[in-house]
Amino acid sequence: MTTQLEDRKIDPAVALPAIDETAPREPHRQFALKHEDCFVVADSYGDIRGTGDGLFRDDTRVLSRFRLFIGGRMPSLLGASLSQDNILFTANLTNLATIGPNGSEALPGVVHVDRTRFIWQDRMFERIKFTNYSAREVVLPVRLDFDADFRDMFEVRGTMRSRRGRAHDALVGEASVTFRYEGLDNVARQSAIAFSIKPDQVHPDHADFLIVVAKRDSRALYLEVGHSEETPSSDRFRAAAARARFAMRSKRRQGATVFSSGRVFNDWLTRTRADIALLTTDLETGPYPYAGIPWFSTAFGRDGVISALQMLWLNPDLARGVLAFLAHYQSTETSVFDDAEPGKIMHETRKGEMAVLRELPFGRYYGGVDTTPLYVYLASSYADRTGDEAFVDRMWNSLGAATAWMEEVGARNGDGFVTYNRAADTGLFNQGWKDSSDAVFHADGTIPKGPIALVEVQGYAFAAYQGMAALAARRGDDAKAAHWSALAERIRQAVETHFWMPDRDFYALAIDGQGKQCAVRTSNAGHLLYVGLPAAERAQSVATQLLSGHLHSGWGVRTLADDEIPFNPMSYHNGSIWPHDTALCASGLARYHERDSVVKLMSGMFEAAVRFNMRLPELFCGFTRAASDSPVAYPVACLPQAWSAGSAFMMLQACLGIRVDGWKREITVERPRLPIGIDNIVIRHLAIGQAKVDLIFERIGDRVVCYLDHRHEGLVPLVVRS
């Protein structure tokens, strides 16, 4: 029978061994959990050290330090993992040699420490289970160190503030500690840590326990961290975990699912789908994929739209939720500070103290030049996928306002290009998807003066005008349809005239405020293929160079060719590899019938994912792939990242050549290919209208055939073009 903890008290005269902050550690890895607007990032031990990690709620760090010590030392790491559904983090640890306060010794490696954690409804639940495999009772001096600095997310990222709110003294209870902070926004924030076992000693920054475990027995300590103090227990832990898993299971089942003949390939798709579900937050307007953890766990316009486009063929409800949210927060006024103008679509929203106080413009910020045309394009793509005329009707005024903003910007410079030039110094210097300050440049590396017309943004505008023309025609408005068709053709011709570099057979990155080309070869040109702007001959030239050794590393498409002056494979945007960028390029190649090249790109990205433990990060370094090499991680990349996860499904669609026509209630498959090493793929419950079908792809010899499961024959027309 396990001896009760209350029978063994720590003698204040007996000091615990000094905490060894320099103990050797395993290679650094971060693990993230999330539910709605609360997430936690910790290392392989489950520890939070207070650098970029922590427990965050509404863009505020409510737990900045949380570390486990046994006998004054860090335990030894056996391994760490996330459950396949992204709900549970588990660190498997064991003790080093420890001496209890009565002089008893616990030999190293005799106690297994199972540290399991999850997030549910703004609360972190944790169970630390000690299992004694020795032949005698062990007494473990256990310490938990903790702190809450209530730093705004932007402070955690490095932004300095001239003053902060007031941190109150922590309230110390018998089995709890509550941290309190009153922000400059007059919001009282608090974070309470509570334990299922009463500590032997509890202080404002740590709690000490004597955990007594009989031979061949176990003992568990439960704890919770939330806004208010609750009493942790095994029952609460199990009940909350069950609810969290049920909610995640419901999210993962939304839309069609994909299964293949490849076990490892399936593991990748399963993890990817779980990551998208993890990042998708249920807002009042519907589901919205938050961009990424830790820095971007909020609604971003561009990221949300591209993630929705990636998943549109499988789960159009995600696109509907994104469109509804962005329409709700569409700008109706001009604000220099917020980079807002009527009709513009939001780039980013934040809930933290600094955003509320407008120390930064990101409370609701509109400084993204590409979000508005992408929003319009997503709406037309959603309509084509679903045939949902009622939703388009509700969106029509918003879409008209967004398109009017594009036209107005185009009229300012006379050539129809959608350009940016930040309105205030507090805003983003560059406002395309490559938004770092050095991401747009001339061939000699100099930074151009604005306003800047990015090549891919003109492609998005072209697609948006085309989409609006098609929707207007369906609504019987022939005049507007003709108007938007003419704008699409005008911008197409302007791109071909002003962006094409005849000496390099490629499109320039941008046109600066003086009409000069930023004459460098970047992945941005691949986005033109995605929307179908270039003529076939030029598209072929772009495709050839995207797949050349200068831009294709062997893992994916680099953001910048390696023979350009500013190239740096370790940079954020000037030579790195972004999975979503590669996926857009792959989808563009498929549009121009380069299906085998798509298979090549997907193979490289899948192999990279395997080496990243089945999770593609936000980006990774653009070093050339060599035999037996692994892709090189970018040190502060978000993981998971929504559009990196979604890239797997965008590339798969490009391989399979699937298009779902919601107007005709028809599925078209054109020149299908299967990924390397995969002999069959089944897409289950693919929705088209009111019907749901199972679509099967199978390799037979050197051909790939596609057919509907027999149970669904006759419900939906399937057109296959080989």
Side-chain angles (χ1 to χ4, degrees):
M1 180 177 178
T2 302
T3 306
Q4 294 299 311
L5 178 68
E6 288 73 12
D7 295 337
R8 302 282 187 94
K9 298 298 184 183
I10 293 178
D11 184 349
V14 178
L16 289 174
I19 292 174
D20 183 3
E21 294 281 3
T22 62
R25 307 187 73 219
E26 298 293 322
H28 183 69
R29 286 186 64 198
Q30 298 269 301
F31 291 84
L33 300 170
K34 173 187 173 295
H35 182 249
E36 305 301 346
D37 287 304
C38 182
F39 69 90
V40 63
V41 178
D43 66 15
S44 302
Y45 293 75
D47 283 350
I48 294 169
R49 292 193 161 209
T51 51
D53 51 0
L55 174 66
F56 294 82
R57 187 171 61 237
D58 292 333
D59 287 323
T60 300
R61 185 161 64 182
V62 296
L63 191 65
S64 56
R65 181 176 171 85
F66 192 57
R67 302 190 63 187
L68 171 68
F69 298 94
I70 300 175
R73 307 171 71 184
M74 290 178 59
S76 179
L77 178 65
L78 301 175
S81 63
L82 287 172
S83 59
Q84 195 174 56
D85 60 7
N86 281 333
I87 291 298
L88 299 178
F89 162 78
T90 301
N92 285 286
L93 312 164
T94 189
N95 68 301
L96 299 176
T98 60
I99 299 176
N102 59 359
S104 62
E105 181 181 8
L107 296 175
V110 299
V111 177
H112 174 234
V113 183
D114 178 325
R115 193 174 185 184
T116 299
R117 171 186 298 159
F118 65 93
I119 301 288
W120 177 246
Q121 294 184 336
D122 291 343
R123 182 171 290 272
M124 185 176 87
F125 293 78
E126 183 162 326
R127 179 190 65 207
I128 307 175
K129 184 178 179 181
F130 304 88
T131 301
N132 177 14
Y133 286 98
S134 73
R136 62 183 182 182
E137 176 185 270
V138 296
V139 181
L140 300 175
V142 173
R143 171 172 290 186
L144 285 168
D145 279 12
F146 38 75
D147 195 11
D149 61 7
F150 296 98
R151 297 276 174 179
D152 187 277
M153 173 58 76
F154 287 96
E155 289 183 275
V156 177
R157 291 173 62 181
T159 302
M160 303 299 294
R161 300 179 69 188
S162 59
R163 62 193 187 101
R164 300 189 75 248
R166 180 186 175 192
H168 297 276
D169 291 339
L171 298 177
V172 178
E174 288 189 348
S176 66
V177 175
T178 301
F179 299 97
R180 301 172 298 155
Y181 171 78
E182 185 174 352
L184 298 176
D185 56 354
N186 296 319
V187 174
R189 296 171 173 88
Q190 67 178 35
S191 186
I193 306 175
F195 309 102
S196 62
I197 298 174
K198 180 181 176 182
D200 287 77
Q201 294 181 8
V202 59
H203 303 273
D205 61 354
H206 71 273
D208 291 319
F209 304 82
L210 273 183
I211 302 295
V212 181
V213 190
K215 62 180 182 180
R216 302 290 172 175
D217 203 353
S218 297
R219 188 78 185 276
L221 168 65
Y222 294 87
L223 58 94
E224 296 181 22
V225 184
H227 176 76
S228 58
E229 181 185 337
E230 300 289 347
T231 303
S233 67
S234 172
D235 289 343
R236 282 179 57 85
F237 183 90
R238 287 199 302 268
R243 290 193 293 269
R245 303 200 91 150
F246 179 81
M248 177 60 76
R249 190 178 304 118
S250 298
K251 284 186 179 182
R252 292 174 65 193
R253 289 178 174 174
Q254 292 174 0
T257 54
V258 181
F259 299 89
S260 83
S261 59
R263 182 181 60 81
V264 179
F265 192 78
N266 282 341
D267 289 344
W268 181 37
L269 296 183
T270 299
R271 171 62 71 191
T272 294
R273 197 60 179 266
D275 283 350
I276 294 167
L278 176 73
L279 291 166
T280 298
T281 301
D282 292 321
L283 305 176
E284 291 183 3
T285 48
Y288 200 102
Y290 281 8
I293 298 174
W295 312 122
F296 309 123
S297 187
T298 186
F300 275 76
R302 176 193 306 119
D303 298 62
V305 169
I306 291 178
S307 299
L309 285 167
Q310 292 170 331
M311 299 300 296
L312 182 58
W313 66 292
L314 292 170
N315 182 19
D317 286 346
L318 193 61
R320 184 185 176 103
V322 168
L323 290 166
F325 177 85
L326 295 177
H328 183 74
Y329 290 106
Q330 186 174 26
S331 178
T332 58
E333 60 184 13
T334 298
S335 169
V336 171
F337 184 71
D338 298 318
D339 252 316
E341 293 177 325
K344 217 173 171 186
I345 297 299
M346 186 189 70
H347 167 68
E348 176 181 0
T349 182
R350 296 284 185 174
K351 298 179 180 180
E353 179 184 359
M354 294 177 71
V356 171
L357 293 170
R358 294 177 71 79
E359 296 177 28
L360 295 166
F362 303 115
R364 197 176 298 158
Y365 181 59
Y366 294 83
V369 69
D370 49 2
T371 307
T372 305
L374 280 170
Y375 164 78
V376 177
Y377 177 59
L378 175 62
S380 66
S381 299
Y382 169 82
D384 289 343
R385 168 64 179 83
T386 62
D388 189 348
E389 290 184 276
F391 185 72
V392 172
D393 288 343
R394 292 198 296 273
M395 294 283 295
W396 193 246
N397 289 339
S398 171
L399 295 172
T403 311
W405 175 82
M406 292 164 51
E407 293 185 49
E408 182 182 342
V409 174
R412 293 174 195 169
N413 50 50
D415 51 22
F417 291 148
V418 178
T419 62
Y420 69 89
N421 203 12
R422 67 173 174 179
D425 290 343
T426 51
L428 292 173
F429 182 74
N430 283 317
Q431 298 188 357
W433 83 262
K434 296 178 180 177
D435 57 6
S436 52
S437 60
D438 63 348
V440 180
F441 45 82
H442 285 294
D444 62 359
T446 59
I447 302 299
K449 294 183 179 180
I452 303 295
L454 293 168
V455 65
E456 78 277 13
V457 175
Q458 313 323 310
Y460 304 154
F462 163 79
Y465 288 137
Q466 279 194 326
M468 287 296 285
L471 290 175
R474 286 194 170 276
R475 295 167 61 86
D477 194 335
D478 294 337
K480 283 188 175 179
H483 172 69
W484 283 321
S485 289
L487 285 176
E489 178 58 22
R490 178 189 177 191
I491 205 166
R492 188 193 67 78
Q493 292 182 5
V495 168
E496 296 285 39
T497 299
H498 296 288
F499 281 86
W500 185 251
M501 301 182 291
D503 57 330
R504 311 192 76 180
D505 285 337
F506 209 77
Y507 292 95
L509 166 63
I511 305 295
D512 73 5
Q514 298 176 320
K516 296 180 180 178
Q517 289 183 343
C518 295
V520 290
R521 292 165 13 260
T522 65
S523 61
N524 302 54
H527 297 213
L528 289 186
L529 305 188
Y530 171 67
V531 297
L533 184 147
E537 184 177 348
R538 288 186 175 179
Q540 182 59 55
S541 177
V542 171
T544 298
Q545 295 194 56
L546 287 174
L547 294 164
S548 73
H550 291 303
L551 276 163
H552 184 221
S553 75
W555 299 111
V557 178
R558 296 185 179 100
T559 46
L560 177 67
D562 66 359
D563 55 352
E564 301 287 356
I565 288 176
F567 173 76
N568 177 355
M570 300 174 290
S571 71
Y572 196 55
H573 286 129
N574 295 336
S576 55
I577 296 167
W578 290 63
H580 89 279
D581 185 36
T582 294
L584 285 166
C585 291
S587 189
L589 292 170
R591 186 166 193 145
Y592 288 88
H593 310 301
E594 291 282 341
R595 199 80 66 193
D596 291 335
S597 299
V598 175
V599 173
K600 178 181 178 180
L601 287 179
M602 185 163 196
S603 176
M605 201 56 66
F606 167 56
E607 290 162 4
V610 169
R611 289 160 173 82
F612 282 123
N613 297 303
M614 298 302 175
R615 253 187 177 167
L616 287 171
E618 176 189 14
L619 73 155
F620 53 95
C621 294
F623 294 106
T624 299
R625 180 176 184 175
S628 302
D629 277 354
S630 290
V632 178
Y634 187 82
V636 293
C638 286
L639 190 69
Q641 181 89 353
W643 64 11
S644 289
S647 64
F649 294 105
M650 177 172 268
M651 287 188 288
L652 183 60
Q653 181 186 19
C655 281
L656 300 178
I658 298 178
R659 186 173 64 86
V660 182
D661 190 328
W663 302 115
K664 295 181 180 179
R665 298 291 192 265
E666 176 182 278
I667 301 173
T668 301
V669 175
E670 186 172 358
R671 300 181 182 180
R673 300 290 188 275
L674 285 169
I676 295 172
I678 303 301
D679 292 324
N680 64 72
I681 283 179
V682 179
I683 301 163
R684 294 179 181 166
H685 309 302
L686 184 66
I688 177 165
Q690 298 302 311
K692 289 187 177 180
V693 301
D694 290 356
L695 191 60
I696 301 170
F697 292 82
E698 189 171 350
R699 192 188 305 278
I700 300 178
D702 59 355
R703 297 175 58 241
V704 174
V705 299
C706 174
Y707 54 92
L708 293 174
D709 185 278
H710 69 278
R711 291 171 296 177
H712 303 287
E713 286 182 2
L715 288 176
V716 175
L718 172 64
V719 180
V720 181
R721 300 187 182 99
S722 58

